[in-house]
Amino acid sequence: AQVIETELKDTRSGSGQMLVLTWEILDGPLAKRRLWENLNIRNSNADAQAIAERQLKRLCGAVGHTGVLNDTKPIEFKPLQITVTVTPPKGEYGESNAIKGYAPVGSAASASAPAAGAPKKNPWG
């Protein structure tokens, strides 16, 4: 898969911001299918923000980006392997896909393992 679009949006509560990633599957039976991932890069909930920072760090490592991520161009249109799970319906939300891991293309390593050399600081604070 690859990230084909990124957008910074306010969270529904207005108390934070999320990075919305649009993914496209590149090959296999689901080629051309799109997925969306929201990373809470600024959030009043410290746990939600920490999870998003870890996800972004792993994504950067899987596409070979090291150092500070000042914008999203270094992660766009860079093929990598993703691990996707189906999240069952909950409350007002229906069944959905969730990206649970990232790995370089051709990697035999676990897609959810932390990537070495990923950014140590994020650009949003």
Side-chain angles (χ1 to χ4, degrees):
Q2 66 183 357
V3 174
I4 60 169
E5 186 178 324
T6 60
E7 182 179 1
L8 194 59
K9 287 186 172 182
D10 290 334
T11 57
R12 211 180 277 184
S13 68
S15 64
Q17 288 187 310
M18 62 184 165
L19 180 62
V20 179
L21 305 175
T22 302
W23 290 87
E24 184 175 70
I25 304 300
L26 296 174
D27 60 9
L30 301 175
K32 303 289 183 191
R33 182 165 179 163
R34 293 190 176 179
L35 304 157
W36 288 266
E37 180 177 31
N38 299 331
L39 301 176
N40 290 295
I41 58 172
R42 284 192 192 129
N43 199 290
S44 58
N45 180 326
D47 290 338
Q49 185 169 320
I51 290 167
E53 289 171 357
R54 282 193 305 270
Q55 294 284 96
L56 192 55
K57 181 177 180 178
R58 290 174 180 150
L59 169 56
C60 286
V63 297
H65 177 75
T66 59
V68 176
L69 185 66
N70 292 318
D71 66 39
T72 57
K73 296 297 181 214
I75 62 171
E76 294 175 0
F77 301 100
K78 303 280 174 85
L80 67 148
Q81 293 178 343
I82 59 174
T83 302
V84 180
T85 61
V86 177
T87 303
K90 183 177 180 182
E92 65 185 70
Y93 301 102
E95 183 177 80
S96 63
N97 293 315
I99 299 172
K100 295 294 184 180
Y102 317 90
V105 171
S107 171
S110 168
S112 61
K120 297 185 181 1
K121 183 179 176 197
N122 59 46
W124 46 86

